[in-house]
Each structure stands twice: as structure tokens, then as C-alpha cells.
Amino acid sequence: MDFQEITRQARQAAAELLAAARLAPGSILVVGCSSSEILGRRIGHGSSMEAAAAVFAGLQPVAAEAGVYLAAQCCEHLNRSIVLEAAALPPGAEPVSVIPQPKAGGSFATTCWQHFERPVALEGIRADAGMDIGDTLIGMHLKPVAVPVRLSLNRIGDANLVCARTRPKFIGGARAVYAPEV
């Protein structure tokens, strides 16, 4: 597998998603990433720290340049908990005590934990946008109204890529007026 190509694909996907989502600095981008699926294996059956590092190398600089916090969804063995920078903790958030590992949390969450300045884990979050690499089911960590975002690519490596942004709920019925940017 060409890890440089995985980094390039991740960088391109992040740039396209952030442009489409128009996230403000301080927003949170949640990423679920199956390194197994990237390498053409079944999710949970071929975890690769190298593939995870390649994805992180593509995503993190794009997110950092936009002032967006990257949040990593752990695998089902850690109940899909979230790893993020302590600086991104929402008000009232209660960190949990766990350190992800490649076989308990996943390679991508482990990579994020190792590279974040002050990593913390949470049971859940309500992110502003999301990237699902390899059918990891990130929807539980998005704000309530998720809108699909179609990118110019739909795979990273061999893994399916599905992205979303969120928007405020529309309320008020037929006479309501909504902001055009949402």
C-alpha cells in the first residue's frame, strides 16, 4: 500500500470537506477511521499504525490551518469514545479514563492520542462535521442535523469515505425565514 497516496487522499478529503462545511475556528471535525478497511481488510481485522499515521499526516495540518480541532472516534471496544485535544473540550464535558491502543480503540485513535499536545478521552461529542473512513459509523458524534457532503473522491485507500457537515435545525414552518448560508 502506498502510504504517501493515503496521506494525499486524506489531505484532499479534509480540504474539500472543510471548504464545503465552512467551519469556524474552534469547530470540531470528528473522524472515524478503519485502518483495516484502508488496507482492503475487514474492519477490525488488520489494524495498521502506518495507515493511521498516513491519514493523520493528511488530516491534521489541514485542520490546524483552519483552526479546527480534530477528534478521533475509537472503535467499538471503547464504545466509540472520542479522543481530542483538551483545549477543545466543550463546557461541562467529563473526560473518561482510557488510553486507546491499536486493538482497543483503534490505530487512528491511538495515533491521535500519541500526537495531540494534551489528549483527553470523552464518551461522546457533538461535532460540527465528520469524516467516516471505512464505515465506522460516526453519526452518533455529529450534531443533530447532519447534511451529506459529496467530495471528489469517495475512498481513502480501499476504504469507503462518507462525509457530513451539520447545520442548525430549521424551525418555524412555512412563514419562517432562514439564513442562506446554512
Side-chain angles (χ1 to χ4, degrees), residues 139 142-148 164-167:
L142 292 172
K143 289 179 178 174
V145 183
V147 179
R165 65 176 179 84
T166 63
R167 64 160 175 79

Side-chain angles (χ1 to χ4, degrees), residues 164-180:
R165 65 176 179 84
T166 63
R167 64 160 175 79
K169 295 176 182 179
F170 291 154
I171 62 169
R175 290 188 253 176
V177 176
Y178 307 110

Side-chain angles (χ1 to χ4, degrees), residues 29-33 55 59 70-73 108 129-133 136 138:
L29 169 64
V30 65
V31 177
C33 176
V55 170
L59 300 180
L70 188 60
Q73 176 182 271
F108 184 71
M131 182 178 291
D132 186 324
I133 305 167
T136 62
I138 61 164

